[in-house]
Amino acid sequence: VLRGKTIALVGDLKNGRTVHSLAKLLALYEVHLLYVSPDSLAMPQDVVHVVKALKTATQTALTSLPEAVAQADALYVTRIQKERFTDDEAYAKLKGSYVVDPQLMRAAKPTCAVLHPLPRNDEIHTAFDDDPRAAYFRQMKNGMFVRMALLSLLLQP
């Protein structure tokens, strides 16, 4: 299912633990990973090295979200994390750098899923929520069921 797919990881790749583990997991498959972020929030080199060492996935760093959207089979979008900044001005410059909205998604493949770990700020416009490619609410619901199942297994006598 994943072989040959292009997955774009978007946003705060430096501080986002979900994108670090997701990149390492996806690297087990023959996928192409697009890392889309401002230079200051790029994917950490230790993650890039782990993915490279597996020799199954390819990686490309981009700063252009429209360029990534045109290529991607899926977007995994993360928020720019204000709590990671010591300088409000630096945060303000980057906040809103990458926004997924209906206009941007016109350039995407009709089957391009958009995922997000939630909560979101302004990186996915609410006008996109009703698009069938908006998978983040289904992602959240399915994650809840997985956690419930795991807890049930762990708590059984």
Side-chain angles (χ1 to χ4, degrees):
V1 174
L2 291 174
R3 177 184 272 173
K5 300 293 184 187
T6 298
I7 314 296
L9 306 179
V10 180
D12 184 350
L13 306 184
K14 176 182 178 182
N15 300 301
R17 63 180 175 79
T18 60
V19 289
H20 298 170
S21 58
L22 183 59
K24 293 172 187 175
L25 175 68
L26 289 171
L28 299 174
Y29 302 91
E30 294 176 20
V31 298
H32 181 60
L33 297 173
L34 299 175
Y35 301 140
V36 187
S37 69
D39 290 334
S40 61
L41 297 175
M43 184 65 80
Q45 285 303 300
D46 64 306
V47 176
V48 172
H49 291 309
V50 168
V51 170
K52 185 176 181 178
L54 291 169
K55 299 180 181 179
T56 52
T58 58
Q59 309 171 85
T60 303
L62 300 171
T63 56
S64 169
L65 181 56
E67 183 180 349
V69 165
Q71 301 174 50
D73 294 295
L75 299 176
Y76 187 88
V77 182
T78 64
R79 66 186 175 88
I80 304 294
Q81 300 178 47
K82 183 177 184 179
E83 62 273 18
R84 302 290 188 167
F85 287 80
T86 56
D87 178 5
D88 287 344
E89 190 175 312
Y91 170 73
K93 285 181 184 176
L94 295 176
K95 181 183 182 292
S97 299
Y98 300 106
V99 178
V100 174
D101 61 21
Q103 181 178 342
L104 174 75
M105 291 303 291
R106 286 189 195 121
K109 296 175 183 179
T111 56
C112 179
V114 177
L115 299 115
H116 191 295
L118 299 176
R120 66 177 168 189
N121 290 327
D122 59 355
E123 62 278 358
I124 300 178
H125 196 283
T126 57
F128 185 71
D129 289 350
D130 292 328
D131 190 297
R133 297 171 295 181
Y136 33 90
F137 295 127
R138 293 189 309 272
Q139 173 189 357
M140 177 186 63
K141 184 177 177 182
N142 291 336
M144 177 189 65
F145 292 136
V146 168
R147 288 188 296 280
M148 288 170 62
L150 288 172
L151 283 172
S152 177
L153 285 171
L154 291 171
L155 298 176
Q156 285 181 1

